[in-house]
Amino acid sequence: MSCLSNPCDLSAVRALEERAFNAWPARQTVLHQGWVFRLAGGFTKRANSVNALEACAPFTGVREAAEALYARHDLRPVFRISPLAGADAEAALAEAGYTVFEPTWVMQAALPSKGALPQPCVDLATTPSAEWLDGFAAANGVAAANHAIHHAMVQSIALPCAFATLHQGGQAVGFGLAVRERGAVGLFDIVVAPAHRGRGHGRALVRGLMEWGRAGGAETAYLQVREGNAVARGLYAALGFTDAYRYHYRVPAQG
């Protein structure tokens, strides 16, 4: 058995994958032969996908078990293929007709060990208010029917969190979420209302959350960004983020 060809340190990938799973919790998880099946009522691929938990874990029988479990919950099976997945998993899914979907990069940046980052005008809270939850969901385009499960998932995060809001003219125009664990701060769903983009608000949100992480003892920051989002990747690169590793999803062709 061989792992996917990738120069990255698989132990470092495993550590970041664990943090990301904890930062965006699924409602239910099933462990299976070094893989984790995550379920959250179909809301978000991250929380409703099959992920390798151990490097090069055996894939024999995993696809069939996942398909049966997700069918039981009226969900389509979604596999998230990180560098931890073995080459046999990628080949088996391709042979079964699973197509590649939404390639994404995990990016990482070092945080300064001394002194504070410039503090932008971002409001940070350690618990999400009802206004933040609704605004965050609306800015991310979460359908009203999914607000309850979205809010419950956010409120179930067990680790230290920061809930960022950026206001302009008394109106909330940007949101972001950060979760801190084991010396790293993860940044999730940095979003600015369409009418207010291109004004540096996304940069302010990222810097505010990075400073929150640094002040709490984090030494690095990480985030996930779609490969095709050139604007966001450019912003993150300008803030010191570099590519750590890439992952993609595989879904049944008929899905």
Side-chain angles (χ1 to χ4, degrees):
M1 184 184 299
S2 62
C3 286
L4 294 176
S5 176
N6 195 302
C8 59
D9 178 353
L10 292 182
S11 64
V13 172
R14 164 71 186 263
L16 280 175
E17 289 285 285
E18 287 183 354
R19 290 182 178 95
F21 293 153
N22 292 337
W24 193 248
R27 293 175 63 187
Q28 298 166 293
T29 60
V30 174
L31 300 179
H32 184 93
Q33 297 179 192
W35 294 74
V36 56
F37 304 167
R38 310 183 82 218
L39 303 103
F43 178 67
T44 83
K45 295 179 298 301
R46 279 180 288 171
N48 292 273
S49 58
V50 180
N51 297 261
L53 191 59
E54 301 289 346
C56 304
F59 195 66
T60 302
V62 174
R63 177 177 64 83
E64 294 81 359
E67 289 175 345
L69 179 68
Y70 284 86
R72 181 174 183 272
H73 291 267
D74 294 323
L75 297 171
R76 69 171 180 170
V78 177
F79 287 80
R80 181 175 166 276
I81 304 299
S82 78
L84 296 179
D88 55 344
E90 184 85 305
L93 289 170
E95 184 178 355
Y98 279 67
T99 59
V100 173
F101 177 63
E102 205 168 279
T104 299
W105 279 97
V106 175
M107 302 182 75
Q108 194 170 22
L111 298 175
S113 58
K114 296 182 180 180
L117 293 167
Q119 186 61 262
C121 298
V122 175
D123 295 325
L124 298 174
T126 56
T127 57
S129 66
E131 293 76 15
W132 188 93
L133 288 167
D134 289 340
F136 184 66
N140 276 291
V142 178
N146 288 325
H147 275 206
I149 189 170
H150 170 271
H151 295 2
M153 287 171 65
V154 170
Q155 291 171 318
S156 70
I157 300 172
L159 297 163
C161 304
F163 303 91
T165 310
L166 190 147
H167 293 88
Q168 186 172 61
Q171 177 185 2
V173 299
F175 301 88
L177 167 66
V179 183
R180 191 176 63 237
E181 180 188 2
R182 284 179 282 168
V185 58
L187 312 183
F188 298 90
D189 294 333
I190 308 298
V191 61
V192 175
H196 296 272
R197 292 174 184 167
R199 304 179 189 179
H201 297 328
R203 178 185 297 268
L205 286 163
V206 172
R207 285 170 57 189
L209 291 170
M210 289 173 71
E211 168 56 17
W212 173 83
R214 188 213 62 81
E219 298 175 348
T220 61
Y222 71 93
L223 50 81
Q224 302 163 341
V225 58
R226 294 178 186 176
E227 187 171 71
N229 192 342
V231 173
R233 280 179 56 75
L235 166 63
Y236 299 141
L239 289 169
F241 285 86
T242 58
D243 294 336
Y245 60 92
R246 182 181 182 272
Y247 67 82
H248 58 265
Y249 293 94
R250 278 194 177 270
V251 295
Q254 68 270 23

